[in-house]
Amino acid sequence: MWFNYPSYAQNVEKARLSLARPLTLAEKILYAHLFPGQEAAPFKRGTDYAYFSPDRVAMQDATAQMAVLQFMNAGKARTSVPSTIHCDHLICAKDGVDKDLPAAKAVNAEVYDFLRGAAACYGMGFWKPGAGIIHQEILENYAFPGGMMVGTDSHTPNAGGLGMFAVGVGGADAVDVMTGMEWELKFPKIIGVKLTGSLKGWTSAKDVILELAGILTVKGGTNAVLEYFGEGTESLSCTGKATICNMGAEVGATTSLFPYDNAMAEYLKAGGRADVAAECDRFKACLCADPEVTQNPEKYYDRVIEINLDTLEPHVNGPFTPDAACGVSGMKKRLAESGFPAEVSAALIGSCTNSSYQDIARAASVAKQALDAGLKPKASLIVNPGSEKIKATAQRDGLLDVLKAAGAVIMSNACGPCIGQWNRNMYGVPERNSIVTSFNRNFAKRADGNPLTHAFIVSPEMAVALAFAGRLDFDPRTDDINGFRFSEPQGEALPAGGFAACDPGFIAPSEGSPAPVINPESQRLQVLKPFPAWDGKDFSGLHLLIKTKGKCTTDHISMAGPWLRFRGHLQNISQNLLMGAVNAFSGESGSVYNCIEGKNLSVADSAAAYRDKACGSIVVAEDNYGEGSSREHAAMEPRYMGVKAVIAKSFARIHETNLKKQGVLALTFCNPADYDLVRQDDSIDVLCSGIQPGKPVEVVLHHSDGTSDSLQASHTYNDQQLVWFKAGSALNSLKKD
């Protein structure tokens, strides 16, 4: 057991004495992980920045490429903390694991070899393609109560199901931790979520977070931790808790946490980590909020939300945004009012959110009932197991056979359709249809590239029930199919026979391997060149690249799907820059008016023209800009293409940090209504030469009719972040140190 729980407990006690009050669980972990030399001060939540020492780093293959390329530029021989690379994003779901996995290994051989070589050189663990989805692997092998981790994926908080403070970050943040530098984080607000009662029948852990998403919306958890407490937490399995924490990313939360309990202990023991459970039992008081906190939550949390599990019902959230919450009993009315396609064309089970043994077991129990009654599904079924261990165990216990009998295609142990890696027959065809998924996100075009696919988020068991019913408004608790009515789904949290033995697909860190060499002619990988430092002058004469309208996620800024193949090649992937964003002036995506050329161009071509022939460009956006994935490509691409600044009504946490790390000036309208002042052919000055923490920046809009408007833009840069900006990027400042 490498984590020092006695030392952790001592640090918790020091923080309690320093603050002279009881502590929440989030505070205990945060204060116990302060970077050496950082005092345990009473940080102001949501305002003050603090520096931390995370225990480990996790990277998935799509984001690991850029993270590793940046780490190589840092000049370090080995990572300073345990780090792992997981190959789960580049496998396309099409024909099933037997065909898809070999195809992925062939197509992505160059990238896999690069990542495997980098892992061997720099002392990182490497999980082969097909081994499993990063967050399921982390939960099974690495997560532990009281720990702190960063991961280059927004759903890293999945590890909160084991009481770990796990945060999704960009690659530059991961490099800070891997090089032994302090990791900066705005000290989060803490939202207490009290769970009462216990789950029953068709209601699952997934419905807890689907309900909460409706309460908080996609930005209600920004710069906050969701800390769960109450007797209801003990009725949830460890993997159920992980599902809830995983989707905390959909409300913008920094991370989510559950207190240590017996369900976590049993999960650790079942996974061969009884030593961790034993230590946690010894220090259990340090792995949950203090009693005074849970007894008077309003006094210690910034906000308290209560969810009664006894009355919670199955949810069907969507389409196009995960916070469009609706209990299944309300779907008939919602469909009648909205006109959404009622027929279900496909049901997808798995992803990092719902691919545990219990998820597959409950889904299989529903399928078996329907098959025994002679029913056939009316929608196609697709299953992505979470890991090779889960797959082998589900196969041994007959669960996959049941799903196969229902027509399910078993895909690789990978993300697949959840991240757009789904080669669907109707891919790209503008056919209006609805699908149900146990995934976490349902943005337009995310799963299959079709803007008219209406994706609804449900639990795995609900996905199967709706597949057999063929309609979104089917309530398995009250409705029947040709006289057949489902019984409640069944599925144990852990397999009665233990987990099946298998080859996990892991290569341990090694010593003395050479650094990987990148072919300069490669179309998949490209050596990173440092971004230029800021010249200290105002940004004058910037052209408006695009004024985006409505939701603009990282999917809109840097699409996934087929573009994943370029995640290690900045020049190539930058050609997808903002291609999914909606142009506020035309209402369409894919093109913008270019003032130099006097015609419409793709966003990438327009940015390149402004970069090469003028002073660069600026992006203007609405609320929660950069919502969704942690992909730092959404910040690196505009930087590479000459975007100097982004002005938005508000930012998603990870994306704002990524912009700062890459040297793009991230500004917020002091008056959100000033967004309306920006015109398509404006020349824009950003008077940033004297930028200081806490002081707004003046922005001047020069209109083509000779008039102008001046507005104020705020920012959240502190002194250290301004060092990054002046150096051209955080990595540039690290190399200077």
Side-chain angles (χ1 to χ4, degrees), residues 424-489:
R424 192 180 185 189
N425 290 335
M426 65 166 57
Y427 191 94
V429 177
E431 182 177 333
R432 198 165 178 267
N433 74 108
S434 290
I435 63 174
V436 291
T437 82
S438 70
F439 305 160
N440 40 45
R441 293 196 173 129
N442 57 350
F443 305 145
K445 300 191 285 187
R446 182 173 175 91
D448 64 359
N450 179 5
L452 298 182
T453 292
H454 296 58
F456 293 83
I457 305 174
V458 296
S459 66
E461 50 267 48
M462 279 293 295
V464 174
L466 296 179
F468 275 94
R471 288 186 58 86
L472 285 170
D473 55 2
F474 176 76
D475 187 340
R477 303 170 303 171
T478 59
D479 298 342
D480 62 71
I481 306 173
N482 299 328
F484 165 77
R485 181 171 295 181
F486 285 106
S487 299
E488 296 176 354

Side-chain angles (χ1 to χ4, degrees), residues 580-638:
V582 176
N583 184 340
F585 300 107
S586 67
E588 299 177 352
S589 301
S591 69
V592 291
Y593 180 75
N594 184 274
C595 294
I596 293 178
E597 302 294 336
K599 61 182 179 181
N600 284 349
L601 299 174
S602 72
V603 186
D605 286 346
S606 188
Y610 291 144
R611 177 194 63 190
D612 300 338
K613 300 179 181 180
C615 301
S617 59
I618 189 169
V619 172
V620 172
E622 296 199 80
D623 277 313
N624 211 30
Y625 181 74
E627 173 191 344
S629 170
S630 69
R631 67 191 70 161
E632 66 181 344
H633 300 77
M636 297 184 81
E637 289 179 34

Side-chain angles (χ1 to χ4, degrees), residues 3-17:
F3 185 67
N4 191 330
Y5 274 103
S7 176
Y8 167 83
Q10 290 175 6
N11 288 335
V12 169
E13 185 57 30
K14 288 179 183 177
R16 186 183 288 108
L17 292 173

Side-chain angles (χ1 to χ4, degrees), residues 369-718:
Q369 291 181 53
L371 292 172
D372 289 347
L375 300 179
K376 294 182 179 180
K378 297 177 182 177
S380 58
L381 273 170
I382 292 176
V383 179
N384 286 83
S387 68
E388 188 61 26
K389 182 164 75 172
I390 297 300
K391 178 186 174 184
T393 308
Q395 185 67 61
R396 180 202 66 193
D397 294 348
L399 304 179
L400 295 187
D401 287 338
V402 171
L403 292 169
K404 289 177 183 177
V409 178
I410 308 301
M411 299 294 184
S412 302
N413 311 319
C415 301
C418 185
I419 58 161
Q421 285 283 59
W422 184 20
N423 191 344
R424 192 180 185 189
N425 290 335
M426 65 166 57
Y427 191 94
V429 177
E431 182 177 333
R432 198 165 178 267
N433 74 108
S434 290
I435 63 174
V436 291
T437 82
S438 70
F439 305 160
N440 40 45
R441 293 196 173 129
N442 57 350
F443 305 145
K445 300 191 285 187
R446 182 173 175 91
D448 64 359
N450 179 5
L452 298 182
T453 292
H454 296 58
F456 293 83
I457 305 174
V458 296
S459 66
E461 50 267 48
M462 279 293 295
V464 174
L466 296 179
F468 275 94
R471 288 186 58 86
L472 285 170
D473 55 2
F474 176 76
D475 187 340
R477 303 170 303 171
T478 59
D479 298 342
D480 62 71
I481 306 173
N482 299 328
F484 165 77
R485 181 171 295 181
F486 285 106
S487 299
E488 296 176 354
Q490 303 295 319
E492 295 299 320
L494 297 168
F499 287 106
C502 64
D503 176 2
F506 175 66
I507 300 176
S510 59
E511 296 279 352
S513 297
V517 177
I518 298 173
N519 182 346
E521 301 300 319
S522 172
Q523 294 300 302
R524 297 290 300 270
L525 298 165
Q526 183 183 50
V527 174
L528 280 179
K529 295 180 180 179
F531 291 127
W534 178 46
D535 62 8
K537 299 179 181 178
D538 294 332
F539 293 144
S540 300
L542 299 180
H543 288 282
L544 176 68
L545 177 60
I546 185 172
K547 178 179 177 180
T548 70
K549 178 181 179 181
K551 185 185 286 287
C552 191
T553 72
T554 50
D555 280 33
H556 295 89
I557 303 168
S558 174
M559 283 191 174
W563 289 92
L564 283 170
R565 67 188 187 276
F566 296 131
R567 283 289 180 86
H569 198 292
L570 184 56
Q571 180 179 351
N572 283 348
I573 199 169
S574 292
Q575 301 312 302
N576 76 4
L577 176 64
L578 285 155
M579 66 185 302
V582 176
N583 184 340
F585 300 107
S586 67
E588 299 177 352
S589 301
S591 69
V592 291
Y593 180 75
N594 184 274
C595 294
I596 293 178
E597 302 294 336
K599 61 182 179 181
N600 284 349
L601 299 174
S602 72
V603 186
D605 286 346
S606 188
Y610 291 144
R611 177 194 63 190
D612 300 338
K613 300 179 181 180
C615 301
S617 59
I618 189 169
V619 172
V620 172
E622 296 199 80
D623 277 313
N624 211 30
Y625 181 74
E627 173 191 344
S629 170
S630 69
R631 67 191 70 161
E632 66 181 344
H633 300 77
M636 297 184 81
E637 289 179 34
R639 180 72 164 100
Y640 176 78
M641 298 297 279
V643 173
K644 300 296 181 67
V646 177
I647 309 179
K649 292 182 180 180
S650 64
F651 288 96
R653 176 191 63 85
I654 299 177
H655 187 63
E656 182 181 24
T657 299
N658 285 344
L659 289 170
K660 291 178 177 180
K661 286 277 185 174
Q662 300 302 335
V664 179
L665 189 60
L667 302 173
T668 305
F669 290 106
C670 290
N671 178 9
D674 287 343
Y675 166 90
D676 296 325
L677 298 175
V678 180
R679 302 179 190 176
Q680 184 171 231
D681 53 359
D682 280 349
S683 173
I684 302 174
D685 299 336
V686 181
L687 308 183
C688 57
S689 58
I691 188 170
Q692 297 179 43
K695 294 187 177 181
V697 169
E698 185 179 0
V699 177
V700 181
L701 309 175
H702 299 284
H703 308 307
S704 59
D705 62 4
T707 63
S708 65
D709 284 296
S710 179
L711 59 91
Q712 296 292 302
S714 62
H715 64 85
T716 59
Y717 285 81
N718 59 26

Side-chain angles (χ1 to χ4, degrees), residues 141-183:
N141 300 280
Y142 303 121
F144 59 91
M148 177 181 280
M149 177 180 75
V150 298
T152 59
D153 190 283
S154 57
H155 295 106
T156 300
N158 189 83
L162 258 177
M164 192 175 205
F165 197 101
V167 184
V169 298
D173 277 309
V175 170
D176 284 347
V177 180
M178 289 192 290
T179 57
M181 298 290 290
E182 66 271 20
W183 173 57

